[in-house]
Amino acid sequence: MRALLADPPPHLACVLSYRPEELAVPGLPLGPDTDFPARLAVVRHVLGPLGLAEVRRAALAALGADRCTPDLAAGLHRLSGGVAQTVADLLDLLAGQPSAVGLDRLGTPPRLDVLTLRRTAAVPEEHRRIVHAAAVLDEPATSHDLGMVAGLPGRSGADALAAALRAAALEERGDGRYGFGSPLAAAAVRRATAGPVREALHRRAAKLLARRQPVPWERVAVHRRACGDERGWLVAVERAAGRFEEAGGQQHAVELLESALATGPVPEQARSRLARLLARCAVVGLRSDETLKVLRHIVADPGLPPAVRGEIRLDLGLLLCNQMGEVMEGRDELARAVDDLAGEPVPLARAMSALAMPYGPDASFAENVAWIERAVAVAEESGDPVVRAAVAANRVSVLLNGGDPAAWPLIERLPRDSDLIGCRQQTSRGLCNAADAVVWLGHYEKSRDLLAEGVTLAARSGAVYAEQTGRGCALVVDWATGRWTGLAERCRAFVDESGDMPYLASDARMVLGLLALARG
């Protein structure tokens, strides 16, 4: 090739493809003597990773529109790192599987497995731990962090990283960080690393991350669990979930806590703490059957202190009433929670105000009013601003469902601008519930205004369930105000999105029924 290109015949066109990271001499595809004469036009075309849109197009072509959801395309892009060959291999694997099989069940494509392990094996043995450390950290890391996790500080770590880069086992990821081209490549190296070596790496990774500010507790939990530190793992899970809750990430906290409580024996004291946190987050997020199973199992434990059982029973009741649509069973749990929570004003006020909501068939409206009056008194006694906001939101609903104009000034006083995210979440719920009540009173424009404010606040504060209920109510407002163009399609899309959560889908299903009735 060198001889041909040194004296090219007329009209020669040559396409030379290579992997830059595998060249014997960096930047010289034909070795140290690479040269191009002046009369030869030379163009370099670098094939970078595919973008999300390109991955989606490839998935559509391979799997069809029914299987190529936005989540699947995004997952393919993330796992493959956009490497075209890996995308193609993953799509081949998916095409041969039932549609229910997700990306997480596929593993690493054999071609990528072989390539990654071949490159790792090319790193001299004394330097190979730096590659294993990068696989365990599973994100681009600085040379210092890689050396610390590998147990190769200082010069030895720098030499090891240089050797890994020369063998293309690792690559530069920008901003002074190094790692793998895709999470699947890292997974291949982790699987091939001996268990005791992998545990030591995870232990050092956990110590490294625990020294950061702020501490990435979710990642610390992963490493502590992987090295067998169960007590440290539970501490990290609890702190990670607490931070998610504070930041409005309740849905993420629920997934983390569910996994912790469902994957093995957890000491009783830690179990009750994690369950209370799970219950608290679950009532703000979307339904999870796993959460219900965990909470039912825990409230059945006769060894739980009454106050702890009452708190968990309260959130279980709310979950049953709201996300599940099991109103009678949920209200039974709430009534039991009131008995368990005597002397605990904060959760007691929440339980009473939940029983005040006039949505169930088991109580008269007079009883609803009595419950909300008791809840207001207990909330004031508690001095807790979040529970006062929760009770105020429910009081608005009770008054509006009775057609009482005293609700209007209370709506204006809901704490929209509170520094506490819990207050903002309760306010968003109150605004969306108020919008639902006033549409039946004929205040259509007021309902739209309340929805616009409530849904926006819910989205900003992580109140996912309130946000979805507000979107469902908007369909009812469209029905009531004659905005029927495309309404059936919007309702069907909302029902599909809601899955099997009866209360979320109920507004959309009702509007579909009303449209069908209107059309005969």
Side-chain angles (χ1 to χ4, degrees):
M1 284 296 297
R2 280 197 303 267
L4 178 65
L5 295 177
D7 186 20
H11 310 298
L12 171 73
C14 170
V15 178
L16 175 64
S17 67
Y18 58 92
R19 288 181 169 137
E21 67 273 15
E22 292 188 348
L23 294 177
V25 182
L28 301 178
L30 299 177
D33 297 327
T34 300
D35 192 17
F36 305 117
R39 66 180 181 277
L40 194 65
V42 181
V43 178
R44 178 186 291 116
H45 181 60
V46 178
L47 290 173
L50 300 178
L52 177 58
E54 294 167 305
V55 171
R56 185 180 292 117
R57 280 198 295 272
L60 275 169
L63 304 175
D66 289 344
R67 291 187 66 180
C68 182
T69 64
D71 285 347
L72 179 73
L76 272 170
H77 184 254
R78 181 183 60 80
L79 285 175
S80 66
V83 177
Q85 183 64 69
T86 306
V87 172
D89 289 346
L90 285 170
L91 288 172
D92 283 344
L93 292 173
L94 275 174
Q97 298 284 345
S99 58
V101 173
L103 286 170
D104 56 332
R105 301 277 298 278
L106 293 180
T108 306
R111 193 192 319 268
L112 179 61
D113 223 8
V114 168
L115 175 66
T116 305
L117 297 180
R118 186 180 76 227
R119 290 177 172 181
T120 301
V123 180
E125 188 172 355
E126 67 271 20
H127 297 322
R128 211 170 289 157
R129 266 185 295 161
I130 206 85
V131 183
H132 299 157
V136 162
L137 279 170
D138 201 17
E139 69 168 8
T142 63
S143 56
H144 172 269
D145 287 356
L146 288 170
M148 294 301 291
V149 173
L152 297 169
R155 187 72 235 170
S156 58
D159 290 344
L161 180 56
L165 292 170
R166 277 195 302 273
L170 297 179
E171 59 185 61
E172 293 191 48
R173 304 294 291 165
D175 300 325
R177 284 171 161 72
Y178 307 87
F180 294 90
S182 76
L184 289 175
V189 173
R190 279 198 305 277
R191 282 194 302 272
T193 304
V197 174
R198 193 169 57 245
E199 285 182 23
L201 292 166
H202 278 295
R203 192 171 292 110
R204 286 195 287 265
K207 287 180 181 177
L208 174 79
L209 295 174
R211 288 197 290 266
R212 290 186 179 170
Q213 289 300 326
V215 179
W217 285 113
E218 186 178 15
R219 291 183 58 216
V220 171
V222 170
H223 292 300
R224 285 181 175 172
R225 188 175 188 192
C227 71
D229 179 7
E230 290 197 2
R231 183 176 177 278
W233 163 58
L234 290 170
V235 168
V237 165
E238 186 172 1
R239 291 183 179 176
R243 185 172 290 168
F244 285 131
E245 183 190 26
E246 289 169 8
Q250 275 84 353
Q251 195 63 28
H252 200 152
V254 164
E255 292 161 8
L256 186 63
L257 292 164
E258 276 183 358
S259 175
L261 288 166
T263 51
V266 176
E268 185 176 319
Q269 192 173 8
R271 188 173 184 79
S272 65
R273 283 201 316 274
L274 294 181
R276 288 157 80 181
L277 183 52
L278 170 62
R280 204 162 62 231
C281 292
V283 296
V284 180
L286 298 177
R287 164 184 172 178
S288 167
D289 291 336
E290 187 62 41
T291 294
L292 280 173
K293 187 165 69 176
V294 169
L295 297 184
R296 278 175 166 148
H297 178 72
I298 289 172
V299 296
D301 180 358
L304 273 183
V308 173
R309 182 186 294 105
E311 280 193 53
I312 297 172
R313 199 186 292 282
L314 160 62
D315 289 323
L316 173 60
L318 292 172
L319 203 61
L320 286 164
C321 285
N322 298 335
Q323 283 92 324
M324 294 293 293
E326 301 287 348
V327 177
M328 299 296 285
E329 185 184 351
R331 290 176 68 85
D332 285 346
E333 292 291 353
L334 292 171
R336 294 190 193 103
V338 168
D339 294 335
D340 287 336
L341 291 169
E344 300 287 339
V346 170
L348 180 60
R350 288 179 62 216
M352 289 175 169
S353 71
L355 285 166
M357 296 300 275
Y359 300 150
D362 62 329
S364 68
F365 189 68
E367 290 176 77
N368 297 136
V369 172
W371 275 120
I372 200 64
E373 288 174 352
R374 290 177 64 188
V376 168
V378 175
E380 287 303 315
E381 174 196 335
S382 77
D384 185 284
V386 176
V387 82
R388 282 204 296 251
V391 171
N394 283 15
R395 188 181 181 196
V396 164
S397 286
V398 173
L399 292 174
L400 286 175
N401 277 278
D404 191 332
W408 297 114
L410 296 181
I411 293 173
E412 297 306 314
R413 292 206 292 269
L414 290 173
R416 297 155 170 80
D417 301 318
S418 170
D419 292 336
L420 298 173
I421 195 165
C423 287
R424 299 197 299 276
Q425 288 172 341
Q426 295 298 339
T427 296
S428 71
R429 181 179 63 81
L431 292 170
C432 290
N433 286 352
D436 179 68
V438 302
V439 72
W440 298 109
L441 299 175
H443 297 288
Y444 303 132
E445 289 310 310
K446 185 63 178 174
S447 181
R448 282 195 194 283
D449 292 343
L450 289 168
L451 280 176
E453 189 179 11
V455 169
T456 300
L457 183 59
R460 285 207 313 264
S461 59
V464 185
Y465 185 76
E467 181 185 358
Q468 293 294 86
T469 58
R471 289 179 55 211
C473 179
L475 300 170
V476 180
V477 180
D478 284 349
W479 154 262
T481 55
R483 297 186 181 185
W484 290 15
T485 302
L487 181 56
E489 290 75 15
R490 296 199 297 279
C491 288
R492 280 192 283 270
F494 191 77
V495 169
D496 291 342
E497 187 181 333
S498 302
D500 55 355
M501 294 182 66
Y503 262 30
L504 271 188
S506 60
D507 280 340
R509 291 186 184 281
M510 178 184 65
V511 172
L512 284 170
L514 290 167
L515 288 170
L517 180 64
R519 291 165 179 155

